[in-house]
Amino acid sequence: MDLAVIGAGTAGCALAAALRLRGWSGSITLLEIGRGTGGRTATRRSRRDPSFALNHGAPLFNISANPEPRLLEPLRQGGWIAPFKGAIYSLDGDGRLGAALPAPLSSGALWQGSPHMDGLCRGLLSLAQQNQPTRLMSGTLVRQLEPLTDGKGWRLYGSEGQPLLDCHWLVLSGTLLADPRCQGVFGWSEVPLQRAADQRGDPQLLQASAALAAIKSTASSNLLLSLGEVSAAAWRLQPWSLLQFTPDAQERWGIRRVSLQAMADGRWGVVVESSAAFAERHLQVHGSRSSAAQVLGAAPQPQAEAQVIKALDQALQDALNLSTAGGEGQLMRWGAAFPKEPGLPPKLSLCPDSHIGFCGDAIAGLGFGRVEGALRSAEALAEQLQKVGAEQLHSGINVQPN
Ligand SMILES: Cc1cc2nc3c(=O)[nH]c(=O)nc-3n(C[C@H](O)[C@H](O)[C@H](O)COP(=O)(O)OP(=O)(O)OC[C@H]3O[C@@H](n4cnc5c(N)ncnc54)[C@H](O)[C@@H]3O)c2cc1C
């Protein structure tokens, strides 16, 4: 492979699409733990229930500044994204509805994937595949990185220690392999990026690895409720489709935001995003149906999971005075839902001597911690890669002029 990208969330898919739009004709492979693309903008689906579709991460995204990311226009043209048309309200600590709060997640132009949030990454992947094949290896955890002996590339290893592929250039679009918590949470003996940086001995990569390891994040425990047409009747009468909880309301009910989502067969989804404090208290309890939990081999905890689902369900009913009777609940625990500042300085996002780069919402800059940041960081890295690649044609990268 000329380029391997770890992660097929917004940033990984956007990087592949941005490179193709710039005329990059080298081979690209995206490696992703999940069943498909999307990451934190994925839509939860069910093999047994084809109409089931719930956005279990971001329900929308906002572009807060101009010029907008270049990828937005082809995504709009292809019908992969559409303006977010839902009504946004707030709920205060006394249970009163009010106007939308000026929040970082809802300023500027509001967009959603079409028809569901996973349209965003499906669209980006389709742009990445328009002129050249771009391969997606889903259900694949990259567990270890090893510098090739010529110092100009990488070998990637999977969950069982099996070699996955060799590549000239490597991009990490998530922070998992740099996060020291992987030692405690998954019992890994070392932090994979730190080990690779030590082996490589490149001062810039060592700095990048340390900066990524220092990034902290807030978690979110999400309740995904599916309501039949009858159970959803009162919910559908609500004036809002997205409800933000004020700080007082978050403290009282442990909920940060609620979204109402229509499904194709008349069912409705209610997605409850917990407050950071609630998620912190229940950090050890993950959603057993998440593919990441399955691939990463976390042990199921049915009782603890049922308790968290019950607690969020009860808080929702209390806060809104609406019944969830007849609903089916699932839990999705995002251990790292939002990175905390300062993030990775952009000057460390490409280490040309080591042929490795970084993109994603944890790169400092406009849109940090949001979809906008994931898109912008990917576009910026594509530009840098193209520049460096043009200077290093001999190393196997084939870059055509725009
Ligand atoms: C509950 C929730 C609500 C949100 N709401 C909003 C919102 O309203 N507006 C907004 O703009 N943003 C929102 N966000 C944030 C937004 O979803 C993220 O900023 C954005 O999706 C980040 O994209 P990314 O590609 O940087 O990271 P990710 O989407 O996390 O992608 C990284 C991918 O890499 C994969 N991966 C990581 N390590 C490995 C490995 N070793 N091997 C293989 N694959 C790997 C992961 O599985 C993942 O798919 C929300 C997030 C959450 C969790």
Side-chain angles (χ1 to χ4, degrees), residues 162-199:
Q162 76 281 19
L164 294 170
L165 55 82
D166 287 1
C167 55
H168 293 297
W169 284 85
L170 175 62
V171 169
L172 273 65
S173 73
T175 53
L176 178 71
L177 295 178
D179 191 338
R181 282 181 311 167
C182 67
Q183 293 175 292
V185 178
F186 311 121
W188 295 358
S189 56
E190 80 297 304
V191 181
L193 183 66
Q194 180 63 52
R195 180 176 182 267
D198 289 340
Q199 282 176 310

Side-chain angles (χ1 to χ4, degrees), residues 6-12 31-34 36 38-41 56-62 105 140-143 173-177 188 220 222 256-257 273 292 334 336-339 359-362 367 369-372 374:
I6 302 179
T10 303
L31 301 108
E32 167 59 49
I33 306 170
R40 280 172 279 157
T41 57
H56 58 180
L60 79 168
F61 66 98
N62 60 323
L105 293 179
T140 306
L141 166 71
V142 178
R143 169 71 183 78
S173 73
T175 53
L176 178 71
L177 295 178
W188 295 358
S220 183
N222 288 10
R256 187 172 52 83
R257 205 167 54 166
E273 300 172 39
W334 297 99
F338 299 99
C359 61
D361 69 341
R370 296 186 281 117
V371 170
E372 181 176 6

